[in-house]
Amino acid sequence: MKTTAKTQKSPIHRDALSAWRHLVNLGGLELTGRDADFEADLLAHLRPTETSLDSVLRQVSIDQFLQAFFATARPYVQMFEEILRFFQAAGATQGRQHWRLRLDQDTDLALDHFREQLGQWQSIKGRALLPALDVQGAWLIWHRLPHQGSRALNSSASSPNPLPEWIENWLKAYDAQQRLPLPAEQLKGALPAELQAIVPFVSAVADLEARLSYEGMKRILRDRGYHHGVVLVEEAALSALESDYWLGQTLKGLFEATHLPTVDRQGIEQDLKDLISSVPTCSVEMDVTVPILEDIVRLPIWQKRHELYAVWVATLIVSALGEHDLKLHHDNGRIEFAFRETLLASVLTSNPPVQLISERRSPLSKEASSTSRSKGAQPDYGIWVANNSTPDDCVLVVECKHYQQSAGGRFSEVLSDYALSLPRARVVLVSHGPIANPEDALSLRIRGRCASIGRLTADNSAAREVLEHHVRECVGPRAIAQPPAGARIWATQAMAVDISPSMRPFLGQARLREKLVQLVATRDVGIIVTIDKQIVRLFPPTPDGIDAARNSQGNDTELSAPVRLLTDCYESVLVVTDRDGYDTLAGNSGTRLDAGDPDLYLLDLSKRPSTSRKP
């Protein structure tokens, strides 16, 4: 769903203070509550030594205010971008059309909300860091592109290769001495990836030329002469560059390059990246308008920014587990963050395997002196030993707050309640605002397991690193080797091979090998997993992978835990075991397939097998 303000007439604001008050009302900013820091950050961007925002807004220009508002909102945009990547990590780019986040019973935010609305954010330039190319460097870009003809005004003249209609129209206006903006996102969408490295620079040149106008640049060149300075900073340098119609010819060269072979485009890409990396950056202030900011604060993702904070914290937890093979769970494309227990992710490669679960309730400890929890301890996120739910099986708790000032005793109570109720867990309290060391008020018995992280925001790298350190330390390093090339670890189906001691006589049978090779060839087996009482190793679904799995040796036979974890992560699991292993599977009996030996069990388990299905 697209939300835009262009259909609604914007009031005219002649001063920064009225524009600010309008955006506060339109965007639902809670200046005495959860958005108190927004006001403080805005003031810091404008006049960090002042204490009254209203007073400052009466002194600054409306353009200065709009730039500061955009910069203050930027951490939220980064938060939204990281949530979009969380979607993509769950497989949202792989064919499913209606991915969404459920925040509560009445609120679903679709993946398209994030894609389309972030596109609106990204189309705003604000203050940008761009390559500080001088006139000579800009012409190096031109020289690296293919051209029909020479540096000439006739940018829209006929070409052997057709141009997109909107580019043709832009070039005709350019030839008629009109200087128009060039939307970076639209330009990127029309070019292959290899030619996009200089799009921000080209688009910035177009925007600055639109401000100066063709006649304005002619006057600057006449009054100041030819200048070789930084194009995006010095008007005389930009005017000198454009005296030979650099922009139109460069734009046309970019589109002519789209018809080159891929290897040639890749050569251009590398040369342009080398050029850009060889120069420093410069800060360029671009246009932001009140109607543009109105569009932004009406967006559903902005209106739900506080609720999305806890979702974003989950993305940090997942990011901290990057060295592991991790499965993000969803229900037909919906990732649930509502107020009920939800399995969010499973980690196959830690020892022991663990799962990230939101809103799991545990009994409240009798020692807890809570004033707000009577029904149990229910943290926002917990990392638990896989397929276990007793309080001792929780290794990490992360509780999220969006307060704008430290809550003192209430924060200490949160830490205490969770630490006492989940006696082996490290308990981490995070907040968008400040936290004044609430763990200091805790008893020595639990203080060592508690930590707080204040001002955890998208642009606070130090706070982010602290949370990620806690996650990595509680989960531990990767305990299973990376699967060799050819393994599709998150395919539809896995094959689990029991390698406990009682299986050794079966694993050496040639007919079992033939059966497994046949199954891998005819079923969508993406990975072979050896198991005993836990997941042992991962192998590719090839004859060599099958042989390596058959030659492995394990320990005790207790398949229930690893098999439950695998059935959480895969649509179906083929389990190869014997009677001893089968007896440990309890209700996960599945469908028994012909293994060619009456004492050998080849079980086909669905993701959520019924206990009534018998071999």
Side-chain angles (χ1 to χ4, degrees):
M1 177 181 71
K2 291 184 180 180
T3 302
T4 177
K6 293 183 173 60
T7 58
Q8 304 179 41
K9 188 169 182 177
S10 172
I12 296 174
H13 300 285
R14 304 189 186 281
D15 62 87
L17 183 58
S18 67
W20 163 242
R21 289 172 175 170
H22 172 65
L23 291 171
V24 166
N25 292 330
L26 192 64
L29 289 168
E30 303 170 19
L31 298 183
T32 59
R34 295 182 295 180
D35 290 308
D37 66 329
F38 195 98
E39 184 173 12
D41 290 346
L42 181 62
L43 182 61
H45 277 97
L46 289 167
R47 300 274 177 85
T49 59
E50 300 287 339
T51 58
S52 169
L53 179 61
D54 279 12
S55 174
V56 169
L57 290 175
R58 290 187 175 95
Q59 302 171 47
V60 301
S61 70
I62 195 166
D63 284 342
Q64 289 174 308
F65 158 69
L66 293 173
Q67 292 289 342
F69 187 101
F70 181 80
T72 303
R74 178 61 207 173
Y76 285 99
V77 182
Q78 186 176 344
M79 182 177 81
F80 300 150
E81 289 169 342
E82 292 180 4
I83 292 172
L84 177 59
R85 288 196 289 273
F86 181 82
F87 264 126
Q88 294 166 337
T93 58
Q94 300 174 7
R96 194 178 300 277
Q97 297 300 312
H98 303 293
W99 284 79
R100 56 211 184 276
L101 288 179
R102 168 152 288 188
L103 300 180
D104 53 49
Q105 193 64 33
D106 302 316
T107 306
D108 276 8
L109 291 179
L111 173 61
D112 285 345
H113 284 152
F114 288 83
R115 283 178 173 154
E116 294 169 7
Q117 294 163 18
L118 282 172
Q120 289 182 257
W121 279 95
Q122 292 158 356
S123 68
I124 301 171
K125 306 298 187 303
R127 179 170 289 278
L129 288 176
L130 296 169
L133 291 165
D134 60 12
V135 172
Q136 182 180 3
W139 278 116
L140 288 175
I141 293 175
W142 183 90
H143 281 293
R144 189 60 185 89
L145 299 172
H147 296 279
Q148 298 291 329
S150 60
R151 303 182 192 178
L153 176 59
N154 298 319
S155 303
S156 58
S158 61
S159 168
N161 297 308
L163 296 171
E165 183 179 358
W166 73 276
I167 290 294
E168 288 277 12
N169 293 336
W170 190 94
L171 288 170
K172 286 176 183 177
Y174 180 87
D175 289 350
Q177 300 180 358
Q178 298 178 43
R179 292 299 180 260
L180 303 175
L182 193 58
E185 292 304 310
Q186 189 174 7
L187 184 55
K188 281 184 177 180
L191 294 171
E194 299 90 351
L195 301 176
Q196 294 182 7
I198 61 161
V199 164
F201 179 84
V202 171
S203 182
V205 168
D207 286 347
L208 294 173
E209 286 190 20
R211 281 192 212 172
L212 294 175
S213 79
Y214 176 77
E215 291 299 326
M217 288 187 288
K218 282 183 64 177
R219 285 195 300 273
I220 290 170
L221 194 60
R222 183 183 64 241
D223 295 340
R224 306 183 200 176
Y226 200 91
H227 191 71
H228 290 275
V230 176
V231 170
L232 297 181
V233 174
E234 300 173 58
E235 293 177 348
L238 177 64
S239 302
L241 178 69
E242 234 356 63
S243 65
D244 283 324
Y245 309 107
W246 177 90
L247 181 57
Q249 290 298 320
T250 297
L251 184 62
K252 195 171 180 184
L254 276 171
F255 279 92
E256 288 173 1
T258 64
H259 301 281
L260 295 175
T262 301
V263 65
D264 291 339
R265 295 202 306 265
Q266 290 171 340
I268 293 174
E269 175 187 35
Q270 189 58 53
D271 288 348
L272 294 179
K273 286 183 175 179
D274 289 345
L275 173 62
I276 289 171
S277 66
S278 69
V279 298
T281 58
C282 59
S283 180
V284 181
E285 190 172 284
M286 311 303 283
D287 286 334
V288 181
T289 65
V290 171
I292 284 173
L293 292 180
E294 287 179 331
D295 281 353
I296 286 170
V297 299
R298 284 192 178 102
L299 298 177
I301 57 175
W302 174 265
Q303 296 287 336
K304 290 291 182 180
R305 63 197 180 280
H306 300 308
E307 292 83 351
L308 286 169
Y309 178 71
V311 176
W312 172 72
V313 171
T315 74
L316 298 186
I317 297 172
V318 169
S319 174
L321 297 171
E323 72 169 298
H324 288 280
D325 291 322
L326 178 145
K327 173 74 171 182
L328 292 176
H329 298 283
H330 61 88
D331 179 12
N332 196 31
R334 183 176 67 200
I335 303 177
E336 188 93 27
F337 286 92
F339 191 70
R340 64 184 182 86
E341 181 175 325
T342 305
L343 173 61
L344 296 176
S346 296
V347 179
L348 290 182
T349 49
S350 60
N351 184 22
V354 296
Q355 293 175 312
L356 174 63
I357 297 172
S358 66
E359 302 293 347
R360 170 171 276 179
R361 181 177 293 174
S362 299
L364 189 67
S365 170
K366 293 179 180 179
E367 296 180 69
S369 56
S370 178
T371 60
S372 57
R373 291 167 197 83
S374 59
K375 296 183 179 179
Q378 189 171 346
D380 289 319
Y381 301 110
I383 293 182
W384 299 72
V385 176
N387 301 115
N388 289 274
S389 59
T390 67
D392 283 346
D393 292 312
C394 185
V395 299
L396 175 69
V397 160
V398 179
E399 179 73 2
C400 308
K401 300 297 181 185
H402 206 288
Y403 297 177
Q404 293 317 313
Q405 52 188 321
S406 185
R410 281 184 292 169
F411 282 173
S412 298
E413 183 180 281
V414 169
L415 291 170
S416 177
D417 287 351
Y418 291 152
L420 291 169
S421 302
L422 301 163
R424 291 185 57 240
R426 181 175 307 182
V427 181
V428 181
L429 177 69
V430 305
S431 179
H432 191 275
I435 296 180
N437 302 319
E439 56 268 45
D440 290 350
L442 302 178
S443 69
L444 292 176
R445 182 161 66 94
I446 61 173
R447 188 185 303 172
R449 289 192 289 115
C450 296
S452 59
I453 306 173
R455 301 194 184 279
L456 178 64
T457 57
D459 58 345
N460 188 343
S461 58
R464 295 170 61 133
E465 288 171 5
V466 172
L467 175 60
E468 290 168 357
H469 168 76
H470 284 303
V471 174
R472 287 191 292 267
E473 196 166 71
C474 289
V475 173
R478 187 184 181 98
I480 298 174
Q482 291 277 359
R488 293 179 297 116
I489 190 164
W490 299 126
T492 303
Q493 186 161 250
M495 177 180 286
V497 180
D498 177 7
I499 58 168
S500 53
S502 63
M503 277 291 292
R504 288 173 190 163
F506 298 107
L507 294 176
Q509 293 177 0
R511 58 184 173 182
L512 176 60
R513 181 186 188 277
E514 293 172 6
K515 183 67 175 180
L516 298 184
V517 169
Q518 176 193 9
L519 284 169
V520 166
T522 57
R523 308 279 290 259
D524 185 24
V525 174
I527 193 162
I528 297 171
V529 184
T530 51
I531 59 174
D532 47 24
K533 62 182 178 181
Q534 61 186 1
I535 292 173
V536 181
R537 282 199 65 184
L538 311 174
F539 298 92
T542 62
D544 286 345
I546 290 170
D547 289 339
R550 292 168 57 239
N551 291 327
S552 302
Q553 296 185 8
N555 297 306
D556 300 340
T557 305
E558 178 46 69
L559 307 185
S560 58
V563 167
R564 283 200 306 273
L565 180 59
L566 291 172
T567 54
D568 276 334
C569 295
Y570 295 91
E571 294 298 322
S572 63
V573 180
L574 293 172
V575 180
V576 184
T577 186
D578 57 11
R579 183 71 201 193
D580 289 349
Y582 174 74
D583 287 343
T584 68
L585 291 178
N588 289 333
S589 52
T591 301
R592 186 174 180 181
L593 307 179
D594 179 17
D597 187 316
D599 296 321
L600 191 62
Y601 286 74
L602 180 56
L603 306 174
D604 187 353
L605 304 182
S606 65
K607 188 171 183 180
R608 295 291 181 190
S610 168
T611 57
S612 63
R613 292 164 64 186
K614 300 293 182 183

